[in-house]
Amino acid sequence: MEIIMAVLAGILFTTAVYNLLQKQMLRIIIGTALLSHGAHLFILTMGELKRGAPPILSEEVEQYTDPLPQALILTSIVISFGITSLLLVLAYRASKKNGTDNMEQLRGNEYE
Amino acid sequence: MLLAVLLPFIIAIFIPFLSKWKEKLHTGFFVTAVPVVIFIYFAQFLGAGFEPVTREYSWIPSLDINILFYLDGLSLLFVLLISGIGSLVAFYSIYYLHKSEQLGHFYVYFLLFMGSMLGVVLSDNVFVLYTFWEFTSLSSFLLIGFWNYKERSRYGALKSMLITVFGGLSLLGGLVFMSVITGTTSIQQMIRQQELILNHEFFPLILVFILLGAFTKSAQFPFHIWLPDAMEAPTPVSAYLHSATMVKAGIYLVARFSPMLSASDWFFIIVSTAGIVTLCWGSYMAVRQTDLKGILAFSTISQLGMIMAMLGFGTKVAIFAAVFHILNHATFKGSLFMIAGIVDHETGSRDIRKLGGLMTFLPVTATLALFASFSMAGVPLPFLNGFYSKELFFDSAINLEQTTTGIAAFLKTIFPYLAVFGSIFTFVYSMYFFFGTFRGKANLDELPKKPHEAPFGMLVSPMILVAGVIIIGLFPQIINEPFIAHAATAVKGFEFTKHISFWHGITLPFIMSLTVIAFGTVLVLSLTKWRSVYRIVPGVLSLNKFYDGLVDRTVSYSSIVTKSYMNGSLGRYVRLIIAAIVIAGFGIMAATDGFHLETSNLAEITVTELFVAFMMIIAAIGTIIVNNRIAAILILGVVGYGLSLLFVIYRAPDLALTQFIIETVTLALFLLVFYHLPKLEKKNESTSTKTLNLVISVGFGALMTMVAISAHSSKMFDSIADYFIENSYKLGGGDNIVNVILVDMRGLDTLFEITVLGIAAMAIYGLIRLRGSKKEEE
């Protein structure tokens, strides 16, 4: 199963990068969102999948899944949420101010 | 001794305060006192029984870099030159520079230069030497560009900076090599381990690096081109830096290291060839100049070439003559520059075509010029010091040590002829300088000012220097024993004194001198006839054109290179970055045989997961294909919810919960913002761009997949999960292990994750609420 998950993470990365390479801001942000999904899945797959019960202590369980990757992913989800929302608002402001959300048209003056 | 070197720096700090009163008293008077004091301090070491003096002051002991001063005969010669001529030049500059000039700036640079030059010649520690060396380049740059409103000054300053700093850096390379090989930073210690350096495989590099440093500083061919352009500096600067002191730093360096390096044949070949070529080229080019300072600049180049050639010869007579000529050149060239300055000051022009017949207007100056220029030409008169060193130069050129090596043996046969050739032109330009300026018909109409004799104060310094010329000329023995002999000993390593006398019979050197004068006179008289030769020879071979081209091309090529990837398109940068990651990643995996596939420890495959994964794949691809904004956003949601389903399947309840909530909030945000963003455009990119994007992204995805599989297949040790599971309740008092990790075991992560959220929230608030101006909103 891990191999399938690795392939899935790879496909997420592929689509993320493809979106990142587009010109429109909305697509780029979609790309970053996909990239973080891919990364989270990646971390999860790095640990061992489905070896035991959910990491909540109880009497009758012998083996638990690895809790550490989960804690790491949880932190990461929150951070990427913060970044994504900031990016979104930034895109909103940038396109309001510049009248375009095309990255190719957003260029500084050469002599600035 | 430390105080003597630091004195100019210390006084330099106070110059800006002193220069405020420059209206009442010229700042130069304060400054003149400094080199005088230093001169007196060092003069006490003079005497026949001089022994080298060492002083050490701690600076960076842990790196073996200490301010180690070593005063031997060579250093003594140079410190006396620097402080002596420094005093005269400072005094001269009082009359040369008007009070309306920025005297504070001038004297600060001047003192900086003097202090660093003293440091160069006294330092025994190579890194301290290098530090002072660069200080001289820097202060020289500032002095050349003193009149920074002139375009030519800035050009000359930049040129000298680029060339001397190029040489300085290569010198540093050589010094580092030597100190690594010998394990010491002291020059004297290095010389004692001469064998180690000479036999080291990097010896050729060391030799080239050190000589590059010396040749650029001392304006040797083909690095001489900065010196004529440095003539844009005020004349006292030209007299001081570009005739007597800084340009001799390279000479000093070669002399200082010659006990170590001269054992190699290549040292002889490179140094003496460079010297002779510089001598000939410089003296040949000097005749072409029309500017008085231009003549003197090329003359300096050629004389430096002569000294360098003698250092290269390396025989006892040659070294003695080289040291002797360093002193002689400083006396007559310093005074000639000052004379050129006086002519410029009193007539308003330095163009030799406009000048002429100034003898009657400037009788004193003309007399001084007569002595100095005839001494420079090496005219055989018993009161001119230039003759002696020229005679010794011929003597050393015909009495070279015998070697059998092919190139060296060949060079030895042609050197005497080249020496005579160069000297003929030296004679020509010296006569041209004197007669062109002071004799002939005066055309006063063309001169900006009516010429009259300079004030006495201005004449004092050249008078003293010319007095030096004559005294050394009349009584060469008085400086021989106590002074020059020590310097020659320091270079050659053993005691040697040469009896200098004017007349020692009809010898070959004397005949060479007579030849020089005979040919020189003919050439001077027919100067106008063969002038056109210059249109042919330096015409195409101009090194200045090459330099200008090099500088221009460096700028244009680097801008081409930069523009080739820095075109302002973010997409392009991302492409480059990701492509680099992919190439590096695959490269490393291939190089280290990093790919592993281990199937024994895999979880079983179930239909549910397959279904979810399949759905996510479809959705992820969908985000690319769909052209509808809302559809793209919703499809992105499918991926997120799919991920949270996977979290459920993989027994991560907290993750599933968080992912679910956050996906919802993010979606809502997307939907909020999407309303304000322009519609998604139909992708109208070219097929090649699309393919490139596809290749890069597939490459990246494949790389990550491989990394994931490989990492999973090659676990090196067990997880530390057991610790958390065992101690979650015992230490943290909680059943939910993930939460205990988040707030208890690794609470710091959580603290800063909260901070991140807080900052993001504030930034968003700021972005929405704070506006630069009202106008911007419309």
Side-chain angles (χ1 to χ4, degrees):
Chain A
M1 198 67 232
E2 277 87 349
I3 292 173
I4 293 173
M5 283 302 125
V7 172
L8 175 59
I11 289 171
L12 287 181
F13 279 125
T14 305
T15 52
V17 171
Y18 194 87
N19 269 314
L20 275 183
L21 295 176
Q22 302 302 308
K23 291 178 191 138
Q24 280 191 290
M25 279 189 207
L26 190 61
R27 280 212 188 278
I28 292 173
I29 300 171
I30 288 175
T32 58
L34 283 172
L35 199 64
S36 53
H37 289 329
H40 299 155
L41 193 61
F42 193 84
I43 301 176
L44 196 71
T45 317
M46 293 284 97
E48 292 180 328
L49 296 174
K50 293 203 291 188
R51 306 296 200 294
I56 292 168
L57 292 175
S58 65
E59 291 293 322
E60 58 269 20
V61 178
E62 282 294 303
Q63 204 188 5
Y64 298 97
T65 49
D66 196 337
L68 191 60
Q70 298 193 9
L72 295 180
I73 295 170
L74 199 56
T75 311
S76 168
I77 289 176
V78 175
I79 291 175
S80 62
F81 165 69
I83 301 297
T84 309
S85 43
L86 181 63
L87 271 181
L88 273 168
V89 176
L90 200 62
Y92 156 69
R93 285 286 293 141
S95 67
K96 263 274 146 105
K97 183 164 179 196
N98 298 311
T100 175
D101 71 337
N102 188 330
M103 294 308 288
E104 292 301 310
Q105 289 165 12
L106 289 175
R107 289 192 189 212
N109 188 327
E110 197 171 333
Y111 298 101
E112 259 176 356
Chain B
M1 205 179 286
L2 183 68
L3 192 65
V5 174
L6 290 188
L7 186 68
F9 292 106
I10 296 165
I11 300 293
I13 297 171
F14 295 102
I15 290 297
F17 304 106
L18 294 174
S19 68
K20 280 185 187 153
W21 303 312
K22 68 178 179 184
E23 294 302 327
K24 288 192 189 120
L25 186 60
H26 198 286
T27 321
F29 284 108
F30 300 108
V31 176
T32 310
V34 178
V36 170
V37 169
I38 298 172
F39 184 81
I40 292 167
Y41 171 77
F42 282 111
Q44 61 166 328
F45 291 100
L46 275 175
F50 171 75
E51 287 292 322
V53 185
T54 312
R55 294 267 188 286
E56 187 162 8
Y57 309 91
S58 185
W59 185 23
I60 317 174
S62 57
L63 294 178
D64 196 13
I65 297 176
N66 290 309
I67 300 180
L68 180 62
F69 286 150
Y70 179 75
L71 182 76
D72 61 356
L74 185 67
S75 305
L76 188 64
L77 169 69
F78 273 92
V79 288
L80 288 177
L81 272 183
I82 293 160
S83 53
I85 302 211
S87 324
L88 299 176
V89 166
F91 189 70
Y92 175 80
S93 69
I94 296 172
Y95 297 91
Y96 186 83
L97 288 175
H98 194 258
K99 283 174 184 169
S100 58
E101 301 269 9
Q102 289 184 308
L103 294 181
H105 291 208
F106 181 80
Y107 287 112
V108 168
Y109 306 155
F110 185 81
L111 286 172
L112 275 182
F113 173 77
M114 185 157 40
S116 31
M117 199 62 214
L118 288 172
V120 166
V121 297
L122 283 172
S123 300
D124 190 47
N125 186 300
V126 287
F127 296 108
V128 178
L129 173 90
Y130 173 73
T131 310
F132 283 120
W133 184 274
E134 290 298 18
F135 260 125
T136 62
S137 296
L138 197 65
S139 47
S140 157
F141 168 78
L142 292 168
L143 282 167
I144 297 169
F146 177 62
W147 287 317
N148 53 29
Y149 47 85
K150 286 197 209 160
E151 206 266 325
R152 292 293 306 170
S153 291
R154 297 197 300 271
Y155 172 80
L158 183 66
K159 194 176 189 178
S160 78
M161 183 77 161
L162 285 176
I163 293 176
T164 54
V165 168
F166 161 74
L169 285 175
S170 82
L171 170 67
L172 179 64
L175 297 178
V176 168
F177 264 129
M178 289 204 293
S179 75
V180 169
I181 291 170
T182 58
T184 173
T185 51
S186 150
I187 297 172
Q188 295 304 318
Q189 302 281 345
M190 283 177 185
I191 291 174
R192 264 172 233 139
Q193 304 185 48
Q194 182 190 14
E195 289 300 312
L196 206 57
I197 292 177
L198 285 176
N199 298 324
H200 200 272
E201 53 176 329
F202 286 142
F203 176 72
L205 275 182
I206 294 173
L207 186 66
V208 168
F209 281 164
I210 299 275
L211 290 182
L212 263 183
F215 287 176
T216 49
K217 199 77 160 185
S218 280
Q220 298 295 299
F221 188 87
F223 305 109
H224 65 274
I225 48 171
W226 65 268
L227 189 61
D229 282 302
M231 291 301 127
E232 296 300 323
T235 303
V237 173
S238 312
Y240 190 39
L241 275 69
H242 306 128
S243 72
T245 53
M246 187 177 93
V247 287
K248 293 210 176 99
I251 302 275
Y252 168 79
L253 194 74
V254 172
R256 177 53 80 204
F257 282 108
S258 79
M260 174 162 45
L261 303 176
S262 63
S264 153
D265 255 358
W266 284 104
F267 177 83
F268 165 75
I269 294 169
I270 300 174
V271 175
S272 44
T273 310
I276 286 278
V277 170
T278 313
L279 165 67
C280 295
W281 184 252
S283 58
Y284 171 74
M285 288 294 284
V287 186
R288 184 183 184 231
Q289 306 302 312
T290 54
D291 178 19
L292 288 186
K293 281 174 85 177
I295 300 174
L296 293 177
F298 276 103
S299 142
T300 305
I301 291 169
S302 116
Q303 303 274 327
L304 292 169
M306 179 173 144
I307 301 173
M308 196 62 94
M310 290 192 277
L311 288 175
F313 293 164
T315 55
K316 288 178 196 171
V317 184
I319 297 294
F320 183 80
V323 179
F324 189 36
H325 196 68
I326 291 173
L327 179 68
N328 292 344
H329 177 247
T331 55
F332 64 69
K333 190 52 62 65
S335 59
L336 280 174
F337 266 108
M338 291 176 188
I339 288 161
I342 291 172
V343 170
D344 184 17
H345 206 264
E346 301 307 326
T347 64
S349 170
R350 285 200 319 246
D351 193 331
I352 200 161
R353 288 167 300 189
K354 292 184 191 165
L355 298 168
L358 294 177
M359 191 89 157
T360 46
F361 300 98
L362 302 155
V364 183
T365 315
T367 318
L368 296 177
L370 177 76
F371 283 109
S373 55
F374 276 55
S375 178
M376 177 160 77
V379 176
L381 290 171
F383 49 85
L384 295 174
N385 59 3
F387 169 67
Y388 298 114
S389 37
K390 181 134 299 177
E391 194 93 322
L392 287 169
F393 171 55
F394 289 146
D395 190 13
S396 60
I398 52 177
N399 290 317
L400 290 169
E401 276 162 17
Q402 292 301 314
T403 43
T404 45
T405 336
I407 312 171
F410 169 71
L411 288 173
K412 276 165 192 175
T413 56
I414 60 165
F415 276 159
Y417 299 101
L418 287 173
V420 171
F421 176 81
S423 302
I424 291 172
F425 279 94
T426 307
F427 183 84
V428 174
Y429 72 70
S430 303
M431 295 305 124
Y432 174 55
F433 178 86
F434 177 73
F435 288 101
T437 314
F438 296 102
R439 297 301 309 225
K441 202 165 65 69
N443 37 0
L444 298 178
D445 308 334
E446 282 191 41
L447 293 176
K449 286 187 197 168
K450 188 172 170 1
H452 53 80
E453 188 56 87
F456 179 68
M458 212 168 183
L459 288 167
V460 168
S461 301
M463 269 178 185
I464 294 175
L465 284 172
V466 169
V469 168
I470 296 169
I471 291 171
I472 299 175
L474 287 174
F475 315 105
Q477 304 312 329
I478 59 163
I479 51 140
N480 190 347
E481 277 280 318
F483 194 29
I484 300 295
H486 290 303
T489 308
V491 179
K492 199 58 193 164
F494 45 79
E495 199 72 32
F496 175 72
T497 47
K498 169 94 179 168
H499 186 76
I500 314 168
S501 60
F502 172 67
W503 181 253
H504 36 81
I506 309 277
T507 52
L508 190 53
F510 190 68
I511 294 169
M512 286 160 92
S513 280
L514 291 181
T515 321
V516 167
I517 290 167
F519 274 100
T521 317
V522 173
L523 283 178
V524 174
L525 295 176
S526 58
L527 190 58
T528 42
K529 295 198 180 93
W530 57 272
R531 262 271 155 93
S532 52
V533 174
Y534 282 106
R535 250 176 267 152
I536 308 163
V537 175
V540 195
L541 297 168
S542 166
L543 287 158
N544 280 318
K545 269 184 206 154
F546 178 75
Y547 163 84
D548 290 335
L550 199 67
V551 171
D552 288 346
R553 256 172 286 158
T554 311
V555 173
S556 61
Y557 282 146
S558 56
S559 102
I560 289 171
V561 169
T562 310
K563 276 182 185 154
S564 69
Y565 65 94
M566 297 281 289
N567 66 347
S569 152
L570 275 179
R572 182 171 205 159
Y573 304 155
V574 176
R575 244 168 245 139
L576 282 174
I577 291 167
I578 302 223
I581 294 173
V582 171
I583 291 166
F586 276 124
I588 290 169
M589 282 187 105
T592 58
D593 196 15
F595 187 72
H596 277 276
L597 183 58
E598 176 83 43
T599 47
S600 61
N601 185 25
L602 292 175
E604 57 179 317
I605 300 170
T606 58
V607 183
T608 341
E609 295 157 64
L610 274 184
F611 176 73
V612 174
F614 185 66
M615 193 181 67
M616 284 171 74
I617 291 170
I618 301 278
I621 296 171
T623 55
I624 295 171
I625 298 166
V626 169
N627 276 329
N628 185 322
R629 289 180 293 174
I630 196 153
I633 292 166
L634 290 178
I635 291 172
L636 179 66
V638 173
V639 181
Y641 290 125
L643 189 62
S644 88
L645 269 180
L646 281 181
F647 287 150
V648 172
I649 296 166
Y650 293 135
R651 291 115 216 206
D654 302 286
L655 282 188
L657 211 61
T658 319
Q659 177 65 32
F660 195 83
I661 293 166
I662 283 196
E663 194 56 40
T664 312
V665 177
T666 315
L667 268 188
L669 255 175
F670 264 106
L671 292 174
L672 262 180
V673 169
F674 113 99
Y675 177 75
H676 297 280
L677 287 177
K679 287 205 167 73
L680 286 180
E681 286 160 12
K682 278 262 187 298
K683 272 163 265 160
N684 44 5
E685 293 158 314
S686 62
T687 333
S688 61
T689 325
K690 270 187 194 167
T691 324
L692 181 67
N693 288 350
L694 199 65
V695 168
I696 290 175
S697 42
V698 169
F700 187 69
L703 175 71
M704 295 312 277
T705 308
M706 279 176 70
V707 169
I709 293 173
S710 171
H712 183 266
S713 304
S714 51
K715 288 239 160 62
M716 292 185 181
F717 34 76
D718 285 336
S719 160
I720 54 168
D722 289 341
Y723 174 82
F724 293 116
I725 294 166
E726 273 167 32
N727 291 304
S728 171
Y729 190 76
K730 233 187 281 173
L731 297 178
D735 286 336
N736 187 331
I737 307 170
V738 173
N739 287 5
V740 169
I741 292 175
L742 279 176
V743 298
D744 220 324
M745 314 262 194
R746 299 180 56 90
L748 214 57
D749 291 359
T750 313
L751 175 65
F752 288 108
E753 153 198 345
I754 293 167
T755 317
V756 168
L757 263 194
I759 291 172
M762 281 190 282
I764 289 169
Y765 179 81
L767 273 174
I768 292 174
R769 292 301 300 270
L770 304 178
R771 301 283 151 91
S773 61
K774 292 261 163 160
K775 219 198 249 171
E776 182 185 306
E777 266 317 283
E778 288 149 19

